[in-house]
Amino acid sequence: MGLLFAAILLPLWGFAELGEEVHEAESFVFDEPILLRAKAASGPWLDHAFLAISWAGYQGVIILDVVLVGVLLARRRWREATFAGVALLGSALLNLTTKQLFARARPTLWESISPQDTFSFPSGHAMGSMTFVVVLVLLAWGSRWRWPVLLLAGAFALAVGVSRIYLGVHYPSDILGGWAASIAWVVGIYAAVFRGARRPWKTLQVEPAAR
C-alpha cells in the first residue's frame, strides 16, 4: 500500500510543480534546447515515422482503449473493466479540463508538419498513451507477462512523447506533465477499485462462518 501511495503522490507532486511554472508563465530551461535538437535531427523518413507514431498515440490508443474494455466486459471481469473504463475515460476528461485551466500556447519555433490548434499543457497524446500503458501494466502485474508488458508498453509511451516533441507541437514539459498526471490518476483509481486484498483476476475468498 505504501508503494501505491508513493506512485500517486510523487507524480502528483511532479505535475503540481510543472503546473505551477506553467500557470506563472515561467519557461523551462530544457524546453527550447530539446525542441531545437529534435528539429535539427529531422528528415523525411523520421517525419513519416513520427507522424505514424503520433497517430498511434492518439487515434490508435482510442481504438485500443475500446478493445480493452470490450474484452474485459466480454470476459465478465467486471472489476477489471470498471478500473480500465474509469481510468481511461477519466484521463481523457481530466486532460480536457487541465488544458483549459492552464491554457498554454503551443510551441512556435517552426511550422509543424502536424499543426495543432488546442492548448499545449498537458499533452493529450502523452497522457492518453501513458494512461493506457499504466492500465495494462497494473492489470498484468500479477502475471508472468508483467515485464514484457512493462517494457513494450513503456517503450510505446516514450515513443509517443518523443514524436510530439519531434513534430514541434509540444514542449518537453507538456509531455512530462501528461505522464505525471496519468500515472497519478490511474494508480489512484487502481487503489480505489482494488482496495484491501483485492487484485486483478483474483476473487476474494470468503471464510466460512464458524459453527
Side-chain angles (χ1 to χ4, degrees):
M1 187 59 69
L3 288 176
L4 279 179
F5 279 115
I8 298 170
L9 294 177
L10 287 177
L12 193 60
W13 170 80
F15 179 81
E17 290 293 315
L18 290 166
E20 182 179 5
E21 296 298 312
V22 171
H23 184 69
E24 294 176 356
E26 297 290 339
S27 60
F28 296 88
V29 295
F30 54 84
D31 271 344
E32 287 197 7
I34 293 176
L35 278 168
L36 292 173
R37 280 180 175 269
K39 177 60 176 175
S42 64
W45 74 272
L46 281 177
D47 288 353
H48 291 297
F50 281 123
L51 282 170
I53 293 170
S54 183
W55 183 92
Y58 189 76
Q59 288 91 339
V61 163
I62 291 174
I63 295 170
L64 291 173
D65 290 347
V66 173
V67 169
L68 175 62
V69 176
V71 168
L72 292 173
L73 289 173
R75 295 187 61 183
R76 302 192 178 196
R77 303 304 308 192
W78 310 123
R79 191 174 297 276
E80 289 81 2
T82 298
F83 160 62
V86 172
L88 295 167
L89 180 60
S91 175
L93 296 175
L94 182 62
N95 181 258
L96 291 174
T97 302
T98 50
K99 277 183 182 290
Q100 296 300 317
L101 176 64
F102 291 103
R104 187 187 201 184
R106 298 270 179 172
T108 56
L109 296 180
W110 66 87
E111 186 175 351
S112 174
I113 59 174
S114 179
Q116 306 287 312
D117 57 5
T118 57
F119 292 125
S120 191
F121 181 89
S123 165
H125 282 67
M127 196 164 172
S129 58
M130 183 60 79
T131 296
F132 179 73
V133 164
V134 179
V135 167
L136 277 186
V137 169
L138 290 176
L139 287 176
W141 195 250
S143 74
R144 61 193 177 94
W145 298 104
R146 60 181 176 180
W147 294 115
V149 169
L150 176 62
L151 292 174
L152 292 174
F156 171 69
L158 178 62
V160 172
V162 172
S163 77
R164 304 305 284 167
I165 296 170
Y166 176 89
L167 294 172
V169 292
H170 276 297
Y171 295 103
S173 52
D174 297 332
I175 306 301
L176 294 176
W179 287 344
S182 59
I183 293 170
W185 169 256
V186 177
V187 177
I189 299 301
Y190 179 90
V193 173
F194 295 104
R195 62 188 180 277
R198 295 183 176 92
R199 293 292 182 271
W201 318 111
K202 307 279 186 186
T203 301
L204 281 179
Q205 300 296 320
V206 179
E207 295 293 335
R211 295 184 180 180

